[in-house]
Amino acid sequence: MVSLLDPLKVNDLVLDNRIVLPPMQTQKATEDGKVTDELKEHYAKRSEGQGLIIIEHSYISPGGRLAKKQLGIHRDDLIPGLKELASTVHEKGTPAVVQINHAGKTANRENVDSIPVGPSPDENVRKLKTREVKELVTRFVKAGERAVKAGFDGVEIHGAHGFLLNQFYSPLTNKRIDEYGGIFEKRIKFPLEVVEEVRNKIGEKTLLYRLGSDDLDPEGTQIKHSKKFAKRLAEAGVDIIDVSGGICGSRPEKLEGEQGYFIPQASEIRKSVDIPVIGVGGIKSPEFANKVVENGSVDLVAVGRAQLADPEWAVKALRKLKN
Ligand SMILES: Cc1cc2nc3c(=O)[nH]c(=O)nc-3n(C[C@H](O)[C@H](O)[C@H](O)COP(=O)(O)O)c2cc1C
């Protein structure tokens, strides 16, 4: 039986155990997206005991910025700082990938240079032209290349929590009638193009996709759709699926309070793919994290807020489970 303590090999990448520090925005970058000492310190404190660290969402273009002090990956001059950040984690022997994101219509008007863009027009949101969607694929690819140049072990494409790629996937937010909207097949086209092109450019590096698996809305995406989508993502070159919420976000009120609140979704997705799956949601206890690996629900467990509260959570969890 596999446990939380067991290593996992994903192509050439070896994770020492099944604990994941999920991406969590710290707002510790500079106002132009650069890595700071404070940001490095935040990750240095949490680098031990993890199987994998996923660095917080970094914006791929100025129009996709969510917050003022958000980490950026949209320009080449950011690479030296990102390199230092990757080394900070690697020094502790822990693999690290960085999450790349475009906030789409959720971008804060104050933090982007023009009106936020999305798949469909909305209040204070401009609809992306077909040509612009293709340009954004290139932006994601460039961000992926920068992550590799900075020495990260790979990238996670953010396709959850109601940000741009999730907005294209969900029928709640995508009302387009061009090649990127309408039926399921068209709504997954933009995310799949991003995955395929990033895959082509990052070579053997590890590619993760954070999948907004469930909108928790009868009119939105549901797990039956996301099982099909996950299969397509794996075929397009994703190495690990990181399952979270869709338009409902990462911490939906109706699920909060329960340990492992997105584990059922992750477990369902795991049945439809042959690649490792990360599960998340309100996990606090090492025993719970271990249980969902041991019972085969998920391959990896992300523990977010508990690790923000206690930077030594992972080290303590390993110690506790070994005894
Ligand atoms: C402060 C904070 C910032 C977050 N930032 C991100 C982010 O940058 N990217 C992302 O995919 N999820 C983000 N999340 C969601 C977490 O990765 C995680 O899925 C969520 O907190 C649920 O896990 P937990 O209950 O273990 O914290 C954030 C969550 C918190 C609390």
Side-chain angles (χ1 to χ4, degrees), residues 21-24 39 43 53-58 71 82 85-86 89 96-100 152:
L21 181 73
M24 283 179 291
L39 187 68
Y43 285 98
I53 288 193
I54 307 172
I55 302 285
E56 65 201 80
H57 68 166
S58 52
L71 183 60
L82 290 165
L85 183 56
V89 180
V97 302
V98 57
Q99 190 183 52
I100 57 175
F152 283 104

Side-chain angles (χ1 to χ4, degrees), residues 297-318:
S297 298
V298 293
D299 301 281
L300 294 149
V301 181
V303 177
R305 285 165 292 177
Q307 301 216 63
L308 282 185
D310 180 2
E312 288 178 24
W313 189 94
V315 174
K316 290 178 187 165
L318 296 179

